C-alpha cells in the first residue's frame, strides 16, 4: 500500500465523506459511540476504499483514488458500504481492547477471542495470483463487518443498491443481515 498524506482534494468529496459518517451514525452508534476520525490517503488500487489506520485513535483512512473513481460514476454508495465495513472493524478493535483491559464488552467472550485469534493470522483479501482469498472472507471478523455494512445499506436503500457479498457467504449471512435490519427497525432508525 502506497500511503501518503493527501492534502488537496475536492470539498465536495469531503462533504460526501462527512455525510456518510453523519447519515450512518444512528446505525453504528447502536454498537459503538466513539468519535471516529478520518483522513485521506492515496493508493492506486481503487478496490481498496478504506482501512483502519489507527486502532487507538479510531482513525479510518479513505483512499482518495477510490473516491475519485466513484465520483466519476456517481457511485458513492459503494464508498459508503466499505466505510461502514471499516467502522465495524473499529468497533471490533474496541471490543478487543476493552476485553483485554477487563472492561465491560458488548460481544460474547467467545467471539472476541476469535477476533483476537484471527487478527494474528494477518490474512490478505487477495491471493498472490489476484484471486479472492476464501480463507480471508471466512474470518468471523470479516463476516461480521460485511454483514453489518450490508444490513445498513439494504435497510437504507432497499433495492437501490446491491452491495457486494463475498462468494463464500451463504444463507446464515442473510439471516444475520435480517437480525440487524430488524434491530434498526425496532430502534426506529
Amino acid at each position: 500500500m502506497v500511503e501518503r498524506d493527501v492534502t488537496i482534494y475536492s470539498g465536495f468529496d469531503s462533504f460526501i465523506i462527512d455525510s456518510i459518517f453523519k447519515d450512518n451514525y444512528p446505525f453504528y452508534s447502536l454498537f459503538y459511540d466513539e468519535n471516529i476520525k478520518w483522513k485521506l490517503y492515496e493508493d492506486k488500487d481503487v478496490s481498496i476504499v478504506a482501512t483502519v489506520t489507527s486502532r487507538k485513535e479510531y482513525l479510518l483512512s479513505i483512499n482518495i483514488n477510490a473516491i475519485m473513481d466513484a465520483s466519476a460514476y456517481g457511485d458513492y454508495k459503494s464508498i459508503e458500504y466499505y466505510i461502514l465495513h471499516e467502522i465495524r472493524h473499529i468497533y471490533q478493535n474496541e471490543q478487543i481492547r476493552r476485553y483485554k483491559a477487563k472492561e465491560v464488552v458488548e460481544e460474547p467472550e467467545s467471539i472476541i477471542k476469535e477476533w483476537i485469534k484471527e487478527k494474528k493470522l494477518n490474512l490478505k483479501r487477495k491471493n498472490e495470483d489476484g484471486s479472492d482469498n476464501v480463507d480471508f472472507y471466512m474470518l468471523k471478523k470479516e463476516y461480521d463487518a460485511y454483514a453489518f455494512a450490508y444490513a445498513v445499506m439494504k435497510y437504507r436503500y432497499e433495492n437501490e443498491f446491491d452491495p457486494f457479498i463475498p462468494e463464500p457467504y451463504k444463507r446464515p449471512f442473510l439471516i444475520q443481515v435480517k437480525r440487524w435490519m430488524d434491530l434498526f427497525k425496532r430502534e426506529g432508525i
Side-chain angles (χ1 to χ4, degrees):
M1 180 187 318
V2 176
E3 188 173 348
R4 61 188 162 105
D5 190 22
V6 178
T7 55
I8 301 172
Y9 59 93
S10 87
F12 180 70
D13 289 336
S14 178
F15 172 78
I16 293 291
I17 295 168
D18 282 338
S19 294
I20 288 171
F21 279 90
K22 181 180 170 229
D23 295 346
N24 287 292
Y25 180 77
F27 298 97
Y28 68 80
S29 69
L30 290 173
F31 308 100
Y32 182 74
D33 196 20
E34 298 293 331
N35 182 25
I36 298 173
K37 300 173 203 120
W38 65 271
K39 72 173 188 169
L40 293 171
Y41 81 106
E42 188 172 23
D43 191 318
K44 291 180 191 229
D45 184 353
V46 296
S47 71
I48 301 171
V49 174
T51 185
V52 176
T53 308
S54 172
R55 295 179 196 127
K56 293 178 183 176
E57 296 176 22
Y58 313 112
L59 180 62
L60 190 62
S61 291
I62 301 168
N63 183 359
I64 187 67
N65 290 325
I67 299 292
M68 289 189 299
D69 187 61
S71 182
Y73 298 102
D75 181 24
Y76 289 105
K77 288 184 177 101
S78 63
I79 300 298
E80 182 175 359
Y81 179 61
Y82 287 105
I83 287 174
L84 286 164
H85 176 97
E86 293 302 321
I87 287 172
R88 187 65 182 180
H89 284 317
I90 288 174
Y91 165 78
Q92 294 165 349
N93 291 330
E94 179 61 13
Q95 287 294 290
I96 290 169
R97 185 202 64 75
R98 289 179 184 178
Y99 174 78
K100 287 179 174 180
K102 300 190 184 326
E103 297 174 9
V104 176
V105 294
E106 303 298 321
E107 299 294 327
E109 181 179 17
S110 61
I111 296 290
I112 296 172
K113 283 182 174 181
E114 187 69 27
W115 289 344
I116 292 168
K117 185 173 97 177
E118 289 175 348
K119 288 181 90 46
K120 292 176 184 174
L121 296 175
N122 200 26
L123 293 176
K124 303 294 180 206
R125 185 171 57 101
K126 297 283 185 182
N127 293 316
E128 286 186 25
D129 65 1
S131 63
D132 284 338
N133 180 353
V134 174
D135 292 336
F136 172 83
Y137 289 109
M138 296 312 294
L139 296 172
K140 291 195 183 332
K141 69 185 186 76
E142 288 303 319
Y143 184 91
D144 176 68
Y146 274 109
F148 173 74
Y150 188 92
V152 173
M153 295 301 289
K154 281 305 212 182
Y155 188 83
R156 289 193 66 204
Y157 300 110
E158 296 178 1
N159 294 322
E160 292 178 32
F161 179 67
D162 192 23
F164 166 77
I165 300 175
E167 184 64 34
Y169 297 172
K170 302 290 182 210
R171 190 169 182 269
F173 178 82
L174 295 176
I175 291 169
Q176 179 61 41
V177 166
K178 182 169 179 353
R179 284 186 196 130
W180 266 319
M181 291 175 70
D182 290 345
L183 173 65
F184 302 153
K185 190 173 188 174
R186 279 193 311 273
E187 293 293 325
I189 300 174

